[in-house]
């Protein structure tokens, strides 16, 4: 995944022949979501859409295409030919999926134009308060004491919420059974109902339940404290110093847009993300705002591909596992 490949892909696409930005956007834009409502991609899209509509002068229609670890939505974006299809996604589709699926029907570099890495969203280890677990070491002790009896829930097989617990289990030397669902909302419901022992997910979808006390956060996936939960001790400080995990929120569009279109969309996206009302809401949800350049997003995409590809190989994770 080289930066030159991104530029070459844009030049090669038939969309590059479209008119320049003087009349773009010429129609409503679709923002495709790869995961169910309530998760990072959904929250990011809904926070950005009104500002994008205001700055670009066309409606932004949010459209969910869930399933297959986000690859169904990614393929919709990759195959779009209207020049007005956007993608609110995470590393699952463009960094994790290439290492997980042997025969993707899209190319994570060639078929997408990076727009902006919006934010890092810290992961937290979550348990049901009824479990009595109050910290990471107590969770590890329970899993070690009762092997084969416990499970964890994810937002889908092969998702970052599948890989992050696998990294956790590998580092702790314990085991738990994976229970996949179809998004953060359904996964949180499983934990609230007490049907699973723990989950590791972005703070944003669960912050309301954590603040209300219906879920308990026992560790942060960051190496430093989370600003809006400063009392939450990082997992790295609770006996697993190598553990670090977060979901990232990013905006792409279909590859091949003229550079002036990319520049206009990037400027509108960054201005919206940095708007005081929007950035305050991101902070309240636990996002670490970045609002990067397209080139920085391409670099992060490659780094995440290397990191999580190693986890997938060590655990021999398959899409259906």
């Amino acid at each position: 995944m080289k930066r030159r490949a991104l530029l070459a892909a844009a030049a090669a696409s038939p969309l590059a022949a479209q008119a320049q930005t003087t009349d773009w956007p010429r129609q409503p834009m679709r923002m495709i979501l790869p995961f169910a409502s309530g998760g990072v991609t959904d929250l990011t899209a809904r926070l950005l859409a009104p500002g994008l509509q205001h700055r670009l002068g066309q409606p932004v229609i949010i459209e969910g295409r869930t399933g297959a670890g986000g690859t169904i939505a990614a393929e919709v974006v990759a195959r779009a030919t209207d020049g007005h299809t956007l993608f609110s996604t995470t590393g699952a589709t463009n960094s994790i999926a290439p290492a997980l699926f042997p025969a993707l029907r899209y190319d994570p570099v060639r078929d997408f134009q990076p727009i902006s890495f919006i934010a890092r969203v810290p992961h937290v280890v979550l348990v049901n308060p009824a479990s009595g677990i109050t910290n990471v070491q107590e969770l590890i002790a329970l899993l070690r004491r009762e092997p084969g009896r416990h499970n964890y829930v994810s937002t889908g097989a092969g998702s970052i919420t599948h890989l992050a617990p696998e990294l956790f289990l590998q580092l702790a030397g314990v085991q738990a059974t994976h229970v996949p669902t179809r998004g953060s909302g359904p996964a949180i419901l499983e934990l609230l109902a007490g049907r699973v022992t723990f989950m590791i997910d972005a703070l944003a979808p669960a912050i309301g339940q954590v603040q209300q006390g219906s879920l308990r956060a026992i560790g942060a996936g960051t190496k430093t404290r989370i600003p809006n939960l400063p009392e939450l001790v990082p997992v790295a400080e609770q006996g697993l110093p190598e553990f670090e995990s977060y979901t990232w929120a990013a905006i792409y569009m279909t590859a091949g847009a003229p550079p002036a279109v990319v520049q206009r969309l990037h400027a509108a996206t960054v201005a919206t993300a940095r708007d005081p009302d929007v950035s305050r809401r991101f902070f309240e949800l636990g996002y670490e705002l970045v609002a990067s350049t397209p080139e920085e997003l391409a670099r992060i995409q490659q780094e995440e591909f290397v990191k999580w590809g190693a986890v997938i190989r060590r655990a021999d994770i398959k899409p259906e596992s």
Side-chain angles (χ1 to χ4, degrees), residues 139-140 142 226 296 314:
L139 173 60
I140 292 172
L142 175 66
I226 300 172
E296 288 167 336
R314 285 197 300 266

Side-chain angles (χ1 to χ4, degrees), residues 39-45 47 118-122 203-204 228 249 279 281-289:
V40 167
T41 57
D42 177 57
L43 293 169
T44 300
L47 282 170
I118 300 299
R120 294 180 182 88
V121 189
L203 175 59
N228 54 355
S279 61
R281 184 60 181 145
F282 276 136
F283 175 81
E284 291 169 351
L285 291 169
Y287 285 58
E288 178 193 344
L289 188 62

